[in-house]
Amino acid sequence: GTLTGTPDEIDGRAIYYKQADARFYQAGAFLLGRQISNLPLLALEIVAFGLPFYFIAGLAYEARAFFVYLGILIAYKFALKMLYGILAQTLPKKANVQGIGT
């Protein structure tokens, strides 16, 4: 999940600072690469948990409704991941980030 990934985001700060001090790449490239690398896991989570939920909940059995549901779920997960990424980069300790999330 998103909240369980925040300690990894905080641990990743040391990697970013090391690379930024060496002027290896810009902050935007780091952020973009980090988000792109999360897409396969995001897709797996959505398919593994969102797909069964859709049919167990008995939502509409129409292709259009299903793809709207998936689109909303993808946008939600991606936005939540970005929010916790921002919190992990701005707050000093892991306990602070996890305290906000719960």
Side-chain angles (χ1 to χ4, degrees):
T2 305
L3 183 60
T4 58
T6 53
D8 295 335
E9 293 280 339
I10 292 172
D11 294 337
R13 284 194 293 196
I15 297 168
Y16 169 72
Y17 291 140
K18 180 180 177 183
Q19 300 298 329
D21 289 342
R23 301 201 187 281
F24 189 66
Y25 46 69
Q26 298 175 345
F30 179 79
L31 176 66
L32 183 64
R34 192 103 187 219
Q35 295 307 318
I36 289 173
S37 69
N38 287 328
L39 288 178
L41 180 61
L42 179 75
L44 182 66
E45 287 178 353
I46 289 171
V47 169
F49 299 112
L51 185 69
F53 176 78
Y54 184 84
F55 293 108
I56 290 171
L59 300 176
Y61 288 108
E62 299 173 0
R64 183 175 189 274
F66 176 71
F67 287 115
V68 167
Y69 167 78
L70 279 183
I72 290 170
L73 199 58
I74 289 168
Y76 174 74
K77 286 285 289 179
F78 197 70
L80 214 58
K81 184 75 173 158
M82 292 290 287
L83 173 68
Y84 280 116
I86 290 169
L87 289 175
Q89 296 301 323
T90 57
L91 296 176
K93 296 180 182 177
K94 291 180 188 180
N96 295 347
V97 177
Q98 291 178 333
I100 289 174
T102 56

